Short mmCIF file of all heavy atoms in Angstrom, two decimals:
data_model
loop_
_atom_site.label_atom_id
_atom_site.label_comp_id
_atom_site.label_asym_id
_atom_site.label_seq_id
_atom_site.Cartn_x
_atom_site.Cartn_y
_atom_site.Cartn_z
N GLY A 1 0.78 -1.23 0.00
CA GLY A 1 0.00 0.00 0.00
C GLY A 1 0.81 1.28 0.00
O GLY A 1 0.23 2.36 -0.11
N GLY A 2 2.11 1.16 0.13
CA GLY A 2 2.93 2.35 0.10
C GLY A 2 2.99 2.94 -1.30
O GLY A 2 2.55 2.35 -2.28
N GLY A 3 3.53 4.11 -1.37
CA GLY A 3 3.65 4.79 -2.64
C GLY A 3 3.84 6.27 -2.45
O GLY A 3 4.28 6.73 -1.40
N LEU A 4 3.51 7.00 -3.48
CA LEU A 4 3.67 8.45 -3.49
C LEU A 4 2.32 9.12 -3.26
O LEU A 4 1.33 8.78 -3.90
CB LEU A 4 4.25 8.91 -4.83
CG LEU A 4 4.41 10.41 -5.05
CD1 LEU A 4 5.43 10.98 -4.07
CD2 LEU A 4 4.83 10.69 -6.48
N ALA A 5 2.31 10.05 -2.34
CA ALA A 5 1.12 10.83 -2.06
C ALA A 5 1.49 12.29 -1.93
O ALA A 5 2.62 12.64 -1.56
CB ALA A 5 0.43 10.35 -0.78
N GLN A 6 0.55 13.14 -2.25
CA GLN A 6 0.74 14.57 -2.06
C GLN A 6 0.42 14.96 -0.62
O GLN A 6 -0.34 14.27 0.06
CB GLN A 6 -0.14 15.36 -3.02
CG GLN A 6 0.23 15.19 -4.48
CD GLN A 6 -0.58 16.09 -5.40
OE1 GLN A 6 -1.68 16.52 -5.03
NE2 GLN A 6 -0.06 16.36 -6.57
N PRO A 7 1.00 16.04 -0.14
CA PRO A 7 0.62 16.52 1.18
C PRO A 7 -0.89 16.69 1.28
O PRO A 7 -1.52 17.23 0.37
CB PRO A 7 1.35 17.85 1.30
CG PRO A 7 2.54 17.69 0.42
CD PRO A 7 2.07 16.85 -0.74
N GLY A 8 -1.45 16.21 2.37
CA GLY A 8 -2.89 16.23 2.54
C GLY A 8 -3.59 15.01 1.99
O GLY A 8 -4.79 14.82 2.25
N GLY A 9 -2.88 14.18 1.27
CA GLY A 9 -3.46 12.99 0.70
C GLY A 9 -3.52 11.84 1.67
O GLY A 9 -3.19 11.97 2.85
N SER A 10 -3.92 10.69 1.16
CA SER A 10 -4.11 9.50 2.00
C SER A 10 -3.50 8.28 1.35
O SER A 10 -3.42 8.17 0.13
CB SER A 10 -5.60 9.24 2.23
OG SER A 10 -6.23 10.31 2.90
N LEU A 11 -3.07 7.37 2.19
CA LEU A 11 -2.64 6.05 1.79
C LEU A 11 -3.13 5.06 2.83
O LEU A 11 -3.27 5.42 4.00
CB LEU A 11 -1.12 5.94 1.67
CG LEU A 11 -0.43 6.65 0.51
CD1 LEU A 11 1.08 6.60 0.70
CD2 LEU A 11 -0.82 6.00 -0.82
N ARG A 12 -3.37 3.84 2.41
CA ARG A 12 -3.70 2.78 3.35
C ARG A 12 -2.69 1.66 3.22
O ARG A 12 -2.56 1.04 2.15
CB ARG A 12 -5.12 2.24 3.14
CG ARG A 12 -5.56 1.30 4.27
CD ARG A 12 -6.93 0.71 4.07
NE ARG A 12 -6.94 -0.37 3.08
CZ ARG A 12 -7.90 -1.27 2.96
NH1 ARG A 12 -8.95 -1.23 3.78
NH2 ARG A 12 -7.83 -2.20 2.02
N LEU A 13 -1.99 1.41 4.30
CA LEU A 13 -1.04 0.33 4.34
C LEU A 13 -1.70 -0.93 4.87
O LEU A 13 -2.59 -0.87 5.72
CB LEU A 13 0.15 0.68 5.23
CG LEU A 13 0.88 1.99 4.92
CD1 LEU A 13 2.09 2.14 5.84
CD2 LEU A 13 1.29 2.05 3.45
N SER A 14 -1.25 -2.06 4.37
CA SER A 14 -1.74 -3.35 4.84
C SER A 14 -0.57 -4.19 5.31
O SER A 14 0.53 -4.14 4.75
CB SER A 14 -2.48 -4.10 3.72
OG SER A 14 -3.61 -3.38 3.29
N CYS A 15 -0.82 -4.97 6.33
CA CYS A 15 0.17 -5.90 6.87
C CYS A 15 -0.50 -7.25 6.98
O CYS A 15 -1.48 -7.41 7.71
CB CYS A 15 0.65 -5.42 8.24
SG CYS A 15 1.77 -6.55 9.10
N THR A 16 0.01 -8.21 6.24
CA THR A 16 -0.60 -9.53 6.18
C THR A 16 0.41 -10.58 6.61
O THR A 16 1.57 -10.54 6.21
CB THR A 16 -1.10 -9.83 4.76
OG1 THR A 16 -2.04 -8.83 4.35
CG2 THR A 16 -1.77 -11.19 4.70
N VAL A 17 -0.05 -11.52 7.39
CA VAL A 17 0.82 -12.57 7.89
C VAL A 17 0.84 -13.73 6.92
O VAL A 17 -0.13 -13.98 6.17
CB VAL A 17 0.37 -13.04 9.29
CG1 VAL A 17 -0.94 -13.83 9.20
CG2 VAL A 17 1.45 -13.87 9.96
N SER A 18 1.94 -14.42 6.92
CA SER A 18 2.09 -15.65 6.16
C SER A 18 2.58 -16.73 7.10
O SER A 18 3.66 -16.60 7.68
CB SER A 18 3.06 -15.47 4.99
OG SER A 18 3.27 -16.69 4.30
N GLY A 19 1.78 -17.77 7.30
CA GLY A 19 2.17 -18.91 8.11
C GLY A 19 1.72 -18.85 9.55
O GLY A 19 1.66 -19.89 10.21
N PHE A 20 1.43 -17.67 10.05
CA PHE A 20 0.97 -17.49 11.42
C PHE A 20 -0.36 -16.76 11.41
O PHE A 20 -0.66 -16.00 10.48
CB PHE A 20 1.96 -16.65 12.25
CG PHE A 20 3.09 -17.41 12.86
CD1 PHE A 20 4.11 -17.91 12.08
CD2 PHE A 20 3.14 -17.61 14.23
CE1 PHE A 20 5.17 -18.60 12.65
CE2 PHE A 20 4.20 -18.30 14.81
CZ PHE A 20 5.21 -18.80 14.00
N THR A 21 -1.13 -17.00 12.45
CA THR A 21 -2.28 -16.13 12.71
C THR A 21 -1.82 -15.01 13.62
O THR A 21 -0.96 -15.19 14.47
CB THR A 21 -3.44 -16.91 13.35
OG1 THR A 21 -4.49 -16.00 13.69
CG2 THR A 21 -2.98 -17.65 14.60
N LEU A 22 -2.41 -13.85 13.45
CA LEU A 22 -2.10 -12.71 14.29
C LEU A 22 -3.06 -12.57 15.47
O LEU A 22 -3.04 -11.56 16.16
CB LEU A 22 -2.13 -11.43 13.45
CG LEU A 22 -1.05 -11.31 12.37
CD1 LEU A 22 -1.24 -10.03 11.57
CD2 LEU A 22 0.34 -11.35 12.99
N TYR A 23 -3.85 -13.57 15.69
CA TYR A 23 -4.89 -13.51 16.71
C TYR A 23 -4.37 -13.08 18.07
O TYR A 23 -4.96 -12.23 18.73
CB TYR A 23 -5.58 -14.87 16.81
CG TYR A 23 -6.75 -14.92 17.76
CD1 TYR A 23 -8.00 -14.49 17.37
CD2 TYR A 23 -6.59 -15.42 19.05
CE1 TYR A 23 -9.08 -14.56 18.23
CE2 TYR A 23 -7.66 -15.50 19.92
CZ TYR A 23 -8.91 -15.07 19.51
OH TYR A 23 -9.98 -15.13 20.37
N HIS A 24 -3.26 -13.67 18.49
CA HIS A 24 -2.71 -13.39 19.81
C HIS A 24 -1.65 -12.30 19.81
O HIS A 24 -1.10 -11.99 20.87
CB HIS A 24 -2.13 -14.67 20.42
CG HIS A 24 -3.15 -15.69 20.79
ND1 HIS A 24 -4.00 -15.54 21.87
CD2 HIS A 24 -3.47 -16.89 20.24
CE1 HIS A 24 -4.79 -16.59 21.96
NE2 HIS A 24 -4.49 -17.43 20.98
N TYR A 25 -1.37 -11.74 18.67
CA TYR A 25 -0.30 -10.76 18.54
C TYR A 25 -0.82 -9.34 18.57
O TYR A 25 -1.86 -9.02 17.99
CB TYR A 25 0.45 -10.95 17.21
CG TYR A 25 1.33 -12.17 17.14
CD1 TYR A 25 0.79 -13.42 16.87
CD2 TYR A 25 2.70 -12.06 17.30
CE1 TYR A 25 1.60 -14.54 16.78
CE2 TYR A 25 3.52 -13.17 17.20
CZ TYR A 25 2.97 -14.40 16.95
OH TYR A 25 3.78 -15.50 16.85
N ALA A 26 -0.09 -8.49 19.27
CA ALA A 26 -0.22 -7.07 19.03
C ALA A 26 0.61 -6.72 17.80
O ALA A 26 1.70 -7.26 17.61
CB ALA A 26 0.26 -6.27 20.24
N VAL A 27 0.09 -5.85 16.98
CA VAL A 27 0.75 -5.51 15.73
C VAL A 27 0.99 -4.01 15.68
O VAL A 27 0.06 -3.22 15.88
CB VAL A 27 -0.08 -5.95 14.52
CG1 VAL A 27 0.64 -5.58 13.22
CG2 VAL A 27 -0.33 -7.45 14.56
#
């Protein structure tokens, strides 16, 4: 989700696990 944005703009980053569940994790 990273990239180039102008000041005042928006981006949404995503973090996805592979192999583990994040159920018990703080992220």
Side-chain angles (χ1 to χ4, degrees):
L4 177 65
Q6 294 185 337
S10 298
L11 288 171
R12 190 182 76 162
L13 307 184
S14 299
C15 175
T16 302
V17 71
S18 176
F20 276 71
T21 175
L22 294 177
Y23 184 82
H24 291 288
Y25 288 80
V27 180

